[in-house]
Amino acid sequence: MQQGKQPFWTKEFIVLTVSNLFLFLELQMIVSSIPSYVKNAFHATSIQVSLVTTLFALSAIAARLFSARMLEKGHRSTLIFVGLLFALVGTLGYSVSPTITVLLLMRMLFGIGFGMSSTAFPTMASDVIPSKRLGEGMGFFSLSTSLAMSIGPTIGISMLQYGSFNLLVYSTAAVIIVIFPLAYWLVRTLPKGHIEPPMVPLEEGRKPALNRKLWIPALLNMLMSITYGGLIGFMALYGDEANLSHPAYFFLFNAISVLVVRPFSGRIYDKKGAKALLIPGSLFLIGGLILLSYAHSDAFMYLSALCYGIGFGVMQPTLQTWMIQVVSPKQRGMANGMFLNSLDFGVAAGALILGIIAKASDYAWMYRLSSLFIVLFLLIYVIQIIASRKSKTHIPLEG
């Protein structure tokens, strides 16, 4: 198949993007709301509440460690449908968990299922996008992830506030159920050779677990995700501290920015490389966090959300495309798995580290100090640029 002569807006690409949107929407609707439910329903301690996010993230990370190998071996159908089934059972289990221990086990089951299915969809998408338009195509595909991360918390918090936890659980379960027929159509429509490279013998019977070229972009993605962990974990509590009327709307205005900048970011990446996006994007993230820390009105909070959304909207797909481009097509499952693992690990670490900072000071100072993770992001990235030029290593820094 001659990918270079094909547009990426095919039926397969659209269905993959929609499926990924629903999968991450379900996650984000729950992840921002379940800590409050656990605290109120089980009178949980702060450590127990943090385990709700941490155990999920660790389970998803563990699942992706073997998901990439399953994709390489051609087991995409098993990966998708077993993953979706685990995620569905785990989600429904929240509402019938009699103790916090059982609920945490359901979170782990959901994490395993989410880790499996979330590895498959972006890997399949990266294979149906023409190689010369990979930056643009993955930019639009990852828009589904960014949108879910932006509007999911708004929907979830609103459902919990104006409805009930059971309503939230059944709604998110319905979102997962919708993915099943979409995934079935995909595995029946896309020929295996188009998604999965043919099996080849491993050199000396072994294969490196990780590609070293992925470490830097994965580290950068983790640092960015730490700041997002502070947003989904503490935005509602910061709203009470700063007397904000609708803190959940932060994610809505964040989504607006993502929608505006995402169509342009992929084209810029294909023409000028990652540097043209990551450096200015970092500055917008820092600005958004600083503005948020001084927000004492909803209007000021909306401004900070728009600023943060611009940075997040251009940086997330850039890092994902970078990771896909530095590996062979056969290793794209591993690259996408590492991208998502670094995102989950960053969110989990952010909830823990920033929660400790907030306890020692307040949420305003927490957001100010969280911007230092993006300063570190910039420092590491600039060092990487300098090192690559000296060693003449090919990485997608420039067009």
Side-chain angles (χ1 to χ4, degrees), residues 25 35 115 123 125 133 165 258 303 325 339 395:
L25 181 64
T123 303
R133 302 181 67 184
F165 184 70
V258 171
L303 177 62
Q325 282 192 327
F339 169 81
I395 59 175

Side-chain angles (χ1 to χ4, degrees), residues 91-394:
T91 298
L92 292 172
Y94 299 149
S95 62
V96 296
S97 297
T99 65
I100 189 172
T101 300
V102 176
L103 187 140
L104 290 175
L105 289 174
M106 292 297 102
R107 286 295 285 166
M108 293 177 68
L109 180 62
F110 174 79
I112 293 171
F114 178 82
M116 294 171 67
S117 50
S118 64
T119 303
F121 290 137
T123 303
M124 294 165 72
S126 65
D127 283 317
V128 302
I129 299 170
S131 58
K132 293 183 178 180
R133 302 181 67 184
L134 187 62
E136 184 180 4
M138 288 306 298
F140 279 105
F141 176 82
S142 60
L143 176 60
S144 60
T145 303
S146 298
L147 276 179
M149 294 174 73
S150 298
I151 64 176
T154 304
I155 298 172
I157 293 173
S158 298
M159 279 191 172
L160 191 61
Q161 182 178 359
Y162 300 109
S164 67
F165 184 70
N166 282 343
L167 173 64
L168 177 60
V169 167
Y170 298 142
S171 298
T172 51
V175 172
I176 294 180
I177 291 173
V178 171
I179 304 175
F180 276 93
L182 297 176
Y184 179 76
W185 181 86
L186 284 169
V187 298
R188 289 292 300 271
T189 302
L190 292 174
K192 288 186 177 181
H194 190 56
I195 298 297
E196 299 141 357
M199 292 289 292
V200 295
L202 300 178
E203 294 181 5
E204 299 180 358
R206 301 180 62 187
K207 182 180 180 65
L210 293 173
N211 190 316
R212 287 181 296 176
K213 295 178 181 179
L214 298 173
W215 283 110
I216 292 298
L219 174 61
L220 297 178
N221 190 47
M222 184 197 71
L223 291 172
M224 182 182 70
S225 300
I226 286 176
T227 67
Y228 185 76
L231 291 171
I232 62 173
F234 306 107
M235 191 63 214
L237 297 174
Y238 177 60
D240 294 335
E241 177 184 279
N243 297 317
L244 301 175
S245 302
H246 302 94
Y249 287 178
F250 176 91
F251 300 100
L252 180 61
F253 279 81
N254 183 71
I256 293 174
S257 280
V258 171
L259 275 172
V260 171
V261 303
R262 185 56 57 83
F264 307 103
S265 63
R267 296 175 185 175
I268 294 174
Y269 180 94
D270 288 332
K271 292 181 179 179
K272 298 185 178 181
K275 185 174 66 174
L277 295 165
L278 293 182
I279 293 178
S282 298
L283 299 178
F284 273 103
L285 279 188
I286 293 172
L289 291 168
I290 297 298
L291 287 173
L292 178 62
S293 72
Y294 288 102
H296 293 288
S297 68
D298 283 2
F300 210 75
M301 179 190 69
Y302 300 154
L303 177 62
S304 70
L306 291 171
C307 189
Y308 186 92
I310 292 174
F312 192 83
V314 301
M315 292 171 67
Q316 187 189 54
T318 297
L319 291 168
Q320 186 173 19
T321 307
W322 176 359
M323 295 178 74
I324 291 171
Q325 282 192 327
V326 296
V327 299
S328 66
K330 189 175 180 63
Q331 292 182 314
R332 286 175 177 174
M334 177 182 66
N336 281 307
M338 196 165 177
F339 169 81
L340 293 167
N341 279 346
S342 59
L343 188 155
D344 284 341
F345 186 80
V347 169
L352 179 62
I353 297 171
L354 298 179
I356 294 173
I357 294 175
K359 185 177 181 180
S361 54
D362 56 32
Y363 293 109
W365 268 105
M366 180 198 74
Y367 285 123
R368 288 169 201 154
L369 293 176
S370 72
S371 66
L372 295 179
F373 288 100
I374 306 302
V375 174
L376 180 59
F377 177 111
L378 271 173
L379 180 62
I380 293 173
Y381 184 57
V382 170
I383 291 174
Q384 173 71 2
I385 293 175
I386 296 173
S388 65
R389 286 177 176 174
K390 288 183 177 180
S391 62
K392 296 183 180 180
T393 302
H394 175 70

Side-chain angles (χ1 to χ4, degrees), residues 48-98:
Q48 290 174 321
V49 171
S50 67
L51 285 176
V52 172
T53 300
T54 303
L55 288 179
F56 155 75
L58 293 178
S59 299
I61 290 170
R64 292 194 188 104
L65 294 179
F66 66 83
S67 295
R69 183 60 59 86
M70 289 182 67
L71 281 174
E72 292 175 5
K73 292 182 177 180
H75 302 312
R76 70 176 187 204
S77 299
T78 301
L79 196 66
I80 293 174
F81 291 114
V82 172
L84 289 175
L85 182 61
F86 281 3
L88 179 61
V89 173
T91 298
L92 292 172
Y94 299 149
S95 62
V96 296
S97 297

